Amino acid sequence: MDDPRGLYDIVADDGFVPEGLPLVAALTGFTDAGGAVSQLGDYLLDSLQSSVVVEFDADILLDYRARRPVITFDQDHVSEYEPQTLRLHLVTDELGQRFLFLNGFEPDFQWERFAAAVIQLVDRFKVSTTTWVHAIPMPVPHTRPINVTVSGNRIELIDALSVWRPSTQAPANVLHLVEYRLQELGHPIAGFVLLVPHYLADTEYPATALVGVESISSATGLIFPTDRLREEGRVFASKIDEQVQSNAELARLVQTLEERHDAYMEGTSLRSPLTDVDGELPSADEIADELERFLAGNRPGDDSPEATGR
């Protein structure tokens, strides 16, 4: 393996980053149900004071054919080019507490080298704890709180917050590899998997970003502004509820998910509603068909007042 130091440039001056800060990571890649990670990254960097500390080399780590940069074409010329970025930021929360935030694209290439680079940075800045967030679609209802599965070696967080604890195999995120390597070193690390209603997985669902923020707070003690996310979440949820209340078939499907969810949460002998494939479990397509008009107005890039709640 080539030297991991060749994957990144430290752009901050020596001494700019205090030692012993927590590290938070949120990378967009294989799956981002509800737009949780992308919303979380944008929200934290837009809402809080931040500076770039480390810039990773996209030309080495990114498959441009799979995730093409965006250009702006103005009548007869390209007026703007927006490259994909992967950066480590120094961020300050609402109480003046600082932390490191690794945000951007999930590397397509050189995972082992990237994981080694992150470990180099954890060692260089004497990082106290590492916390990361991602989101997956699950057959759960939007009418119940978004739950999480917690991984890592912080047993107190797993015991307190991890609702679903499967034994399974699944496609990896690069941060799974980082978690695995840091666990081997005995570094305190926690990964939060947000369990997002599968029929809302392709929307930008504000509640997912809110739960992501709250999960980070529970692991780090950092305090973040959440008023805007809460209001956007209320508007979004009310629009979904309107669709459900006006359609008896959709209401029945959601009720089925609610019953399975509630039975599982009550600790009954019923198998987990997240994995039970017996019976008539509503599919994502069934619910999505009923919500199509609503969802179409809430895809990323729709800036209409009806879609955004503004």
Side-chain angles (χ1 to χ4, degrees):
M1 182 172 61
D2 292 336
D3 185 356
R5 184 65 180 80
L7 290 181
Y8 61 89
D9 291 317
I10 298 177
V11 298
D13 295 334
D14 289 341
F16 180 71
V17 179
E19 292 184 351
L21 299 181
L23 169 64
V24 174
L27 304 182
T28 57
F30 177 69
T31 180
D32 185 18
V37 174
S38 57
Q39 288 185 88
L40 174 65
D42 291 344
Y43 193 76
L44 292 184
L45 294 177
D46 289 345
S47 303
L48 302 171
Q49 180 182 353
S50 65
S51 301
V52 177
V53 175
V54 173
E55 182 89 38
F56 283 86
D57 191 338
D59 278 350
I60 298 176
L61 295 172
L62 181 67
D63 181 357
Y64 286 92
R65 295 169 299 177
R67 289 184 282 182
R68 295 182 182 272
V70 175
I71 59 100
T72 299
F73 189 81
D74 186 2
Q75 299 187 43
D76 60 0
H77 68 283
V78 177
S79 61
E80 189 174 355
Y81 171 78
E82 301 176 33
Q84 296 269 6
T85 60
L86 175 53
R87 294 167 174 159
L88 183 68
H89 306 259
L90 178 63
V91 188
T92 304
D93 78 351
E94 279 204 312
L95 297 184
Q97 303 175 100
R98 287 183 285 185
F99 65 100
L100 293 169
F101 184 41
L102 180 63
N103 182 238
F105 65 86
E106 178 190 17
D108 294 304
F109 306 117
Q110 303 199 29
W111 276 25
E112 289 286 358
R113 192 179 176 203
F114 173 75
V118 173
I119 292 171
Q120 280 187 347
L121 294 170
V122 166
D123 182 64
R124 178 188 179 97
F125 298 120
K126 302 296 187 290
V127 167
S128 58
T129 63
T130 297
T131 305
W132 68 284
V133 176
H134 74 128
I136 60 174
M138 299 296 285
V140 293
H142 72 278
T143 52
R144 299 295 185 266
I146 294 175
N147 291 311
V148 299
T149 290
V150 187
S151 61
N153 56 13
R154 298 190 60 185
I155 302 303
E156 76 282 5
L157 295 174
I158 296 172
D159 289 343
L161 301 173
S162 192
V163 169
W164 184 48
R165 305 184 191 184
S167 295
T168 187
Q169 290 185 321
N173 181 300
V174 73
L175 291 175
H176 284 118
L177 175 58
V178 172
E179 175 184 305
Y180 185 69
R181 296 294 181 227
L182 287 174
Q183 279 188 145
E184 291 179 325
L185 298 173
H187 175 81
I189 184 165
F192 288 87
V193 184
L194 313 184
L195 309 178
V196 179
H198 57 335
Y199 51 94
L200 298 177
D202 291 334
T203 71
E204 287 199 348
Y205 186 21
T208 61
L210 177 60
V211 175
V213 166
E214 292 173 340
S215 298
I216 294 168
S217 292
S218 67
T220 63
L222 297 166
I223 303 299
F224 304 109
T226 58
D227 289 348
R228 194 183 86 200
L229 282 178
R230 293 181 189 280
E231 179 57 28
E232 290 174 353
R234 283 190 287 267
V235 172
F236 191 97
S238 68
K239 290 177 180 288
I240 301 175
D241 290 339
E242 289 175 6
Q243 297 295 316
V244 172
Q245 292 168 7
S246 65
N247 187 299
E249 180 64 15
L250 178 57
R252 186 190 70 80
L253 296 177
V254 172
Q255 182 180 10
T256 300
L257 290 175
E258 290 175 337
E259 291 171 353
R260 291 175 179 274
H261 174 278
D262 293 347
Y264 177 66
M265 294 300 292
E266 289 171 5
T268 68
S269 59
L270 182 68
R271 290 181 59 195
S272 167
L274 310 179
T275 58
D276 189 356
V277 295
D278 297 326
E280 297 181 0
L281 183 65
S283 70
D285 289 340
E286 288 179 287
I287 298 180
D289 286 344
E290 299 292 344
L291 287 170
E292 186 61 33
R293 286 177 298 172
F294 168 71
L295 299 183
N298 286 273
R299 305 286 182 184
D302 189 338
D303 295 324
S304 66
E306 293 80 11
T308 62
R310 294 193 295 269

